[in-house]
Amino acid sequence: MALVPVAEALERLLDGAAALPGESVPLADAAGRVLAEPVVALRTQPPFEASAMDGYAVRSADVASAPARLSVIGVAPAGRGFTGSVGDGEAVRIFTGAPLPEGADTVVIQENVRAPGGGDIEVMEPTAQGRNVRRRGLDFGQGDVLLESGRLLDPAALSLAASANHPNLDVVRQPLVAIIATGDELLPPGSELGPDQIISSNAYGVIATAQSVGARALDLGIAADRHDAIAALVKKAVAAGADVLVTLGGASVGDHDLIHDVLTGEGMKLDFWKIAMRPGKPLMFGRLGNIRCIGLPGNPVASLVCSQLFLKPLLARLGGRLYRPDIRTARLGAAMHANDLRQDYVRATVREDAATLVATPFGIQDSSMLRMLADANGLIVREPFAPAAEAGAECSVLMLR
């Protein structure tokens, strides 16, 4: 099977991917979710003319000039409005958020009032009609569309939905990613290692990638290099209703690389296998019913780079999110050799120098070196057959953070 270009592989992997169906969740659980349906106001806000300040509700005609002496006839705290009417020469002590009493059309702030005693006040500055009053429906009216579908529910959006009297919201279902690591040599972190064993690390980075775009992750653990062991975990992924199945390792062509055989034996239809990229050549993609299956390379750096390039945009689309990779133009901080037929993603440090980004590649690019990837904040993207480039030459960088 010929090597598939990166852009074509991504297009084929995303083909037909769309936001998953919606589900209703309590407002308290909706943070970070994506709206499946618009939010329409169930009430008007504010529902009445309300005071915007602590002060006195008055008739504007009485305070058009100052000083003006008024008689205080009552109090209107928030949540307990004054039930009478304000007449000529009268005022009601009022607090922020309280309904404006009948007859009043203005609020004089308390800082502009002197209380000489005897239940009277003196307004020391003229106040124009309507000052310090929030009109009914100032924020929104019943029936207004407040939030469109596709909106990510951030703190402001959640508070707005709450003020519109929505206890629940219809949101896009979060994609479920089932993750299977494979390899007799792998043990979980904290294990006592034998002489031929290593720690399984890839799943944690893949889980974090999935969660960064709002997906849920189901870690099914480590499968031994046996058909039956891998198949048992694949069946668990199917039973759990996974939208995406990610396998780690075992997707190459060695005698112990069994993923392709197991998945096709379970009914997967292979789309492509092997991509013209470095790191990450042995990436596999197919469909097992409604499940999209991605076989990631076992090398840790290749696994995480491929997660960034392929898994992240897929999960974002399934979750109804807009996702655009952060690609910037920079200058090379060191010379680079000519490239071959594969698209290179070169780990680099990116810094700003006199308003110009400078991307300096690490000298070693081994795909097993996680420390280098953790130190990198960008990937220099080198197109196939790119010529040698001197330091200072322009390059494209995929920012990682």
Side-chain angles (χ1 to χ4, degrees), residues 124-136:
M124 307 309 296
E125 294 185 13
T127 305
Q129 182 179 10
R131 287 296 301 273
N132 307 311
V133 174
R134 294 177 179 145
R135 298 301 177 191
R136 181 178 185 274

Side-chain angles (χ1 to χ4, degrees), residues 333-353:
M336 299 190 74
H337 296 296
N339 199 14
D340 59 14
L341 78 167
R342 287 195 276 170
Q343 186 156 306
D344 251 353
Y345 292 86
V346 181
R347 278 75 76 203
T349 57
V350 184
R351 59 182 176 83
E352 188 170 339
D353 183 12

Side-chain angles (χ1 to χ4, degrees), residues 53-146:
M53 303 287 284
D54 290 347
Y56 294 85
V58 301
R59 294 162 59 93
S60 58
D62 290 335
V63 294
S65 60
R69 193 177 185 99
L70 304 175
S71 176
V72 179
I73 62 171
V75 180
R80 212 165 53 248
F82 179 73
T83 57
S85 179
V86 177
D88 291 341
E90 295 179 336
V92 169
R93 181 73 167 111
I94 195 167
F95 295 89
T96 304
L100 199 67
E102 183 180 348
D105 61 6
T106 301
V107 172
V108 177
I109 61 174
Q110 60 189 20
E111 293 88 339
N112 293 343
V113 171
R114 187 171 69 90
D120 288 352
I121 59 169
E122 282 188 353
V123 178
M124 307 309 296
E125 294 185 13
T127 305
Q129 182 179 10
R131 287 296 301 273
N132 307 311
V133 174
R134 294 177 179 145
R135 298 301 177 191
R136 181 178 185 274
L138 175 66
D139 198 357
F140 53 80
Q142 184 173 345
D144 288 352
V145 176
L146 303 180

Side-chain angles (χ1 to χ4, degrees), residues 6-7 275-280 301 305 309-310 327 336 339 342-348 365 373 378-383 398:
V6 172
I275 298 180
M277 64 177 289
R278 183 177 31 245
V301 174
V305 169
L309 296 177
F310 298 101
I327 299 177
M336 299 190 74
N339 199 14
R342 287 195 276 170
Q343 186 156 306
D344 251 353
Y345 292 86
V346 181
R347 278 75 76 203
Q365 293 288 320
L373 182 61
L379 300 172
I380 299 172
V381 183
R382 297 271 287 161
E383 298 294 332
L398 171 61

Side-chain angles (χ1 to χ4, degrees), residues 239-275:
D243 302 291
V244 179
L245 170 62
V246 173
T247 59
L248 305 173
S252 192
V253 292
D255 291 342
H256 297 283
D257 294 323
L258 308 175
I259 292 296
H260 171 263
D261 289 347
V262 172
L263 287 176
T264 53
E266 293 295 320
M268 183 191 77
K269 295 182 179 178
L270 181 67
D271 190 311
F272 60 79
W273 186 9
K274 302 186 184 66
I275 298 180

Side-chain angles (χ1 to χ4, degrees), residues 304-321:
L304 294 181
V305 169
C306 288
S307 294
Q308 182 79 20
L309 296 177
F310 298 101
L311 180 62
K312 195 170 184 177
L314 172 62
L315 294 177
R317 184 170 293 189
L318 293 176
R321 294 167 180 257

